[in-house]
Amino acid sequence: MGFMFLRDAIHAYQERDPAARSWLTVLLCYPGLHALIWHRMAHALWELRLFLLARMLAHLGRFLTGIEIHPAARIGRRLVIDHGLGVVIGETAEIGDDVHLYHQVTLGGTSLARGKRHPTIGNNVIIGAGAKVLGNITIGDNARIGANAVVLAPVPAGTTVVGIPARPVDRRHLPNLRPCFDPYGTPAEGVLDPLLHDIEQLRTELTEIEARLARIDPDGRATTRPGHGVTIGT
């Protein structure tokens, strides 16, 4: 079982990282893989109710890799923690299969109450660098979380969210809608932060206001056009 885990994990790194030139490179030089090995040992101790030993092993893994995974967290197969430094995975977090996390991702809790308080991540999810997924929420299969997004609400399957707070972006205009690997959680083609849309809308409104001001006649009254309602005047 341990050999199968290691083989699948190394293959996942080679498949998703062009810099992974050989299985030996991944085995020796990838802290994300090392963190998973430490977690498997710590989780086994946690399941045996050897809580202090489990925490000590997890603490050692954190010291060696810069990646903090609570020994109680449940992690599926072929998780890739890319770069890895600063990743935090909380106690009641659950991660499905074929998930990809970048550096400084936090799967955190928003409650001090005991019980389920961390996110549940579905299969084939990508979470971009610096993203924070907080609370007892579910991220559906094939979802994409953009870099530095702050996710406080559930994300439906197949949805891409970006921004603070995270909001969905429209992917319907993209030529390829099937699940694929999107580096850092956001497709590079044609999908921008929805805040950019808001900025463009504000620019349009500002242009309209400037045009109305330009139509003000010399005695200080604004000219009007039918159907435009209230206009600017003195």
Side-chain angles (χ1 to χ4, degrees):
M1 180 67 92
F3 173 76
M4 292 291 292
F5 150 74
L6 199 56
R7 187 189 67 177
D8 287 350
I10 290 174
H11 178 71
Y13 274 90
Q14 289 182 289
E15 188 177 61
R16 300 182 218 167
D17 184 1
R21 300 184 184 278
S22 70
W23 67 268
L24 189 59
T25 299
V26 176
L27 181 63
L28 297 179
C29 303
Y30 277 62
L33 177 62
H34 302 162
L36 291 178
I37 294 172
W38 284 107
H39 173 70
R40 282 182 68 88
M41 294 186 293
H43 185 71
L45 292 174
W46 188 272
E47 292 289 289
L48 294 173
R49 304 186 66 81
L50 300 173
F51 301 131
L52 179 58
L53 287 177
R55 290 301 300 267
M56 291 175 64
L57 205 60
H59 184 67
L60 180 59
R62 175 178 180 262
F63 175 77
L64 294 173
T65 65
I67 297 168
E68 181 173 346
I69 308 176
H70 193 284
R74 298 186 176 277
I75 295 178
R77 297 172 298 171
R78 297 179 297 278
L79 170 65
V80 169
I81 303 177
D82 206 342
H83 304 297
L85 191 66
V87 167
V88 177
I89 300 174
E91 178 183 9
T92 62
E94 299 177 42
I95 300 177
D97 298 335
D98 301 301
V99 172
H100 197 105
L101 306 181
Y102 284 91
H103 46 287
Q104 296 183 340
V105 164
T106 297
L107 305 183
T110 56
S111 170
L112 298 179
R114 294 186 180 275
K116 182 74 166 108
R117 62 188 187 279
H118 295 90
T120 297
I121 311 298
N123 300 322
N124 195 37
V125 172
I126 299 175
I127 303 182
K132 316 303 177 190
V133 185
L134 306 176
N136 181 16
I137 59 176
T138 298
I139 309 301
D141 294 348
N142 303 308
R144 303 291 185 257
I145 311 297
N148 294 317
V150 177
V151 185
L152 302 173
V155 176
T159 302
T160 296
V161 297
V162 298
I164 304 174
R167 293 182 291 176
V169 293
D170 187 1
R171 299 185 61 173
R172 290 175 298 179
H173 62 285
L174 293 179
N176 183 11
L177 291 179
R178 61 184 177 81
C180 58
F181 184 77
D182 299 318
Y184 289 93
T186 304
E189 303 177 34
V191 174
L192 299 176
D193 191 319
L195 292 177
L196 295 180
H197 175 268
D198 295 343
I199 291 172
E200 288 302 319
Q201 186 174 358
L202 288 172
R203 284 176 176 168
T204 300
E205 293 175 359
L206 181 60
T207 301
E208 292 177 356
I209 292 173
E210 290 174 343
R212 293 183 185 182
L213 289 173
R215 291 194 297 270
I216 295 178
D217 62 15
D219 61 5
R221 293 174 300 173
T223 59
T224 62
R225 288 184 294 170
H228 278 70
V230 179
T231 57
I232 300 173
T234 57

